[in-house]
Amino acid sequence: MTPRPGKVAVFEQFAADGITTMFGNPGTVEQGFLDVLESVPDFGYVLALQETVAIGIADGFARAGARPALVQLHSGVGLGNGIGMLYQAKRGHSPLVVVAGEAGVRYDAMDAQMAADLVAMAKPVTKYATRVLDPSSVLRVLRRAVKMAMTPPRGPVFVALPMDVLDELTSEAALPTVIPNRAVVPAAEDIAEAVELLAAARSPIVLMGDGVSVSGAQAELAAVAELLDAPVYGVDNSELNMDPRHPLFKGNTGHMFGEDSTKALSDVDAVLIVGTYVFPEVFPSLGNPFPAGAKIVHIDLDDYEIAKNHPVDIALVADPKPTLAAIADGLANAGRARGEFELLPLPEVTADSPLMAVFAAELNNQAGDDLIVFEEALTASPHLTAHLPRRVPGTYFATRGGSLGIGIPGAIGAKLARPDAPVVGFAGDGGSMYTIQALWTAARHNVAAKFVICNNHRYQLLDHNIDRYFAERDIAQHVHPSGFDLAEPEIGFVGLAESLGVPAVRVDKPEQVPAAVERMLGHDGPFLVDLVTG
């Protein structure tokens, strides 16, 4: 291979892997390869005004496109800005390939301005983190990073690229990264054991998560649930893993308090866990949440999560899609009959319905089945998902991991990944302000995503949580902390959006909803609705 600088060769490697877009915010130590980028054919740079936004857009792109997303951060300060959103990506298994420049290996002994151990910073919030030290391994390391990001369980990876290493010549060839195929099925005897356990159950339950979506196992999951006539609960469930209108789908377990999840398990004698860890709560139950004597089968490609906190009877490190298909066949052969199930009707909208419900129902009426929803509505989420259920896999993505601010940038990324589909992002007023500058990126690149601010003038989730805190400690209810309030001064989302190049409208009455939804969907470009919900 003809020698060329590493800063040139990296783009050859990205092209070999089908990566044609970089999301980032520039800095001096990245200027060498960013200068090269300008002359690379068919390669785009999506500029964000802050690193959290760049990672959020990349997260939406990776999720909606089911492919790696390339992020450029600026040295230690930029990585520090993006840590919270990287945590979200790690918890959600988003395949991000994050690179950051640094001044150079030659300066390691100087402890100079902006010096930091980037790998040590990135390790807690990534699946893999490393630093390139030699020009002859730049492309090798990037291929390893892409492989690690895309191999289930997927996750974000980080590569530090010192400026002096990229300036050196490399003769490495740019080759497509090989992603290992993990579509594995357990041994026949293990499948038979799982089938026997589940077929004997009188009161089974299914707990599922996003591993189902990654595997494309939605149909197989529904088949097993119907053969078992078992209620299905979402656990780490932020994508469309089961039709929300299926009568066996009972919603999600708790995300905050362990006892909420435990309630769903009180009378079960068998538990099938698929594509999720148990349980993703802030305050999980320290005891075993499963009833004594209940038999548990856990299927996932993430072996770390199987029996991590609670023992199981059958542990299957396997791909959910072929494994569930084999279990369904086994249950049918064991005499289990698949029932007939009619879709649940949509809830009615009445004169007393909350404005969020009215808006979601109207959007459902005007939009098609291909509408993609990127959702960080939080306390408004129950009304949103009830009246705007997405039923096609790949049309619903929710926040995950606990970091606020994904709603707006995530929708931008989803629209970039799926430009032919309509995309609407929902965010709370508090969460939106973490990344509101993402609107500028949408305007700059004419990304025609739409945005809805669920504006209740509060961090309302904290209201719910502190009420729980008071009750658990026998503390008399009293006025909540003033830090939960966002009403004073009023955030003018219409003016704020327009200042960033995005037209907007405020909606605070039900009769305004139809025209606002029509205007939003019909606008050729990004558009924002400030929906006053409280």
Side-chain angles (χ1 to χ4, degrees):
M1 189 73 190
T2 302
R4 68 283 194 219
K7 62 190 177 187
V8 173
V10 294
F11 291 100
E12 298 173 9
Q13 183 58 51
F14 296 146
D17 284 326
I19 297 173
T20 60
T21 304
M22 178 182 286
F23 307 94
N25 181 265
T28 301
V29 294
E30 295 84 25
Q31 61 192 3
F33 67 80
L34 292 179
D35 179 54
V36 172
L37 183 154
E38 294 299 313
S39 61
V40 177
D42 302 317
F43 198 98
Y45 185 83
V46 176
L47 175 61
L49 298 180
Q50 207 262 7
E51 289 84 358
T52 300
V53 173
I55 296 172
I57 295 174
D59 185 274
F61 183 91
R63 294 177 70 182
R67 58 186 186 267
L70 176 63
V71 185
Q72 169 264 316
L73 303 180
H74 173 45
S75 193
V77 291
L79 175 58
N81 284 340
I83 288 291
M85 198 62 78
L86 269 177
Y87 178 83
Q88 167 126 327
K90 183 184 181 184
R91 279 294 184 184
H93 300 291
S94 294
L96 308 186
V97 178
V98 181
V99 299
E102 56 172 65
V105 176
R106 72 182 73 177
Y107 302 113
D108 277 7
M110 302 299 292
D111 191 25
Q113 176 76 354
M114 295 180 63
D117 187 340
L118 302 187
V119 174
M121 290 176 65
K123 273 187 175 180
V125 292
T126 56
K127 182 181 177 183
Y128 171 73
T130 192
R131 182 190 191 210
V132 180
L133 296 174
D134 187 275
S136 65
S137 289
V138 172
L139 305 193
R140 176 184 295 115
V141 170
L142 288 176
R143 283 193 297 273
R144 183 183 306 157
V146 172
K147 184 198 79 166
M148 295 283 288
M150 286 297 295
T151 302
R154 295 172 178 170
V157 297
F158 174 82
V159 180
L161 297 174
M163 198 173 186
D164 54 0
V165 174
L166 292 188
D167 284 339
E168 295 293 325
L169 298 179
T170 179
S171 298
E172 285 186 284
L175 305 169
T177 298
V178 176
I179 310 299
N181 186 342
R182 300 201 71 193
V184 294
V185 184
E189 55 268 27
D190 293 324
I191 291 288
E193 185 181 2
V195 168
E196 182 180 7
L197 185 154
L198 294 170
R202 295 187 302 275
S203 181
I205 190 173
V206 178
L207 304 175
M208 59 76 174
D210 289 341
V212 172
S213 177
V214 172
S215 177
Q218 290 91 340
E220 291 78 7
L221 175 71
V224 170
E226 290 172 357
L227 285 161
L228 293 173
D229 194 23
V232 180
Y233 285 84
V235 183
D236 187 23
N237 178 43
S238 66
E239 299 190 0
L240 206 152
N241 299 304
M242 188 174 187
D243 189 333
R245 292 179 62 190
H246 195 297
L248 289 177
F249 180 64
K250 303 302 180 182
N252 293 327
T253 59
H255 74 282
M256 186 65 64
F257 303 99
E259 62 187 66
D260 294 340
S261 300
T262 303
K263 291 175 183 175
L265 306 169
S266 58
D267 297 319
V268 304
D269 62 353
V271 183
L272 173 61
I273 306 170
V274 186
T276 183
Y277 66 105
V278 288
F279 287 93
E281 301 139 341
V282 178
F283 304 102
S285 174
L286 294 177
N288 191 336
F290 302 107
K295 301 298 183 181
I296 303 169
V297 179
H298 196 158
I299 303 166
D300 202 350
L301 278 171
D302 192 347
D303 58 289
Y304 171 74
E305 295 294 352
I306 296 177
K308 180 180 75 174
N309 291 321
H310 311 294
V312 303
D313 295 280
I314 300 176
L316 303 177
V317 181
D319 188 305
K321 184 178 179 69
T323 305
L324 289 171
I327 288 175
D329 290 342
L331 289 171
N333 293 334
R336 283 275 187 166
R338 189 170 180 178
E340 297 287 336
F341 296 90
E342 294 184 3
L343 293 178
L344 296 174
L346 289 172
E348 293 185 8
V349 175
T350 68
D352 297 326
S353 294
L355 192 57
M356 183 73 251
V358 175
F359 188 93
E362 184 63 31
L363 180 54
N364 192 57
N365 290 336
Q366 293 194 32
D369 292 338
D370 62 338
L371 174 70
I372 295 173
V373 170
F374 207 101
E375 194 248 300
E376 191 187 27
L378 298 180
T379 54
S381 181
H383 294 301
L384 172 63
T385 54
H387 292 274
L388 184 62
R390 299 294 82 205
R391 302 187 54 225
V392 178
T395 58
Y396 177 77
F397 304 94
T399 183
R400 53 193 187 183
S403 302
L404 285 178
I406 190 64
I408 294 175
I412 296 171
K415 183 64 177 178
L416 286 167
R418 308 258 291 278
D420 295 332
V423 177
V424 180
F426 290 82
D429 50 339
S432 73
M433 291 304 296
Y434 281 62
T435 52
I436 196 70
Q437 62 270 55
L439 294 175
W440 182 90
T441 298
R444 177 185 176 92
H445 297 280
N446 195 30
V447 182
K450 319 303 180 187
F451 314 99
V452 179
I453 305 298
C454 307
N455 186 358
N456 58 22
H457 297 90
R458 296 190 64 78
Y459 291 120
Q460 194 169 72
L461 184 61
L462 298 184
D463 288 325
H464 298 334
N465 291 343
I466 203 168
D467 284 341
R468 184 76 166 261
Y469 175 87
F470 291 158
E472 289 177 347
R473 290 159 176 80
D474 294 323
I475 298 172
Q477 289 288 333
H478 54 275
V479 175
H480 292 177
S482 59
F484 296 2
D485 174 63
L486 298 174
E488 184 62 38
E490 175 85 17
I491 300 172
F493 283 103
V494 171
L496 185 54
E498 290 175 345
S499 76
L500 294 168
V502 175
V505 65
R506 182 179 174 94
V507 173
D508 56 14
K509 298 179 179 64
E511 57 267 27
Q512 299 169 335
V513 168
V517 170
E518 183 178 10
R519 182 182 173 190
M520 177 183 75
L521 293 177
H523 182 73
D524 184 19
F527 191 88
L528 181 140
V529 174
D530 177 13
L531 185 67
V532 181
T533 60

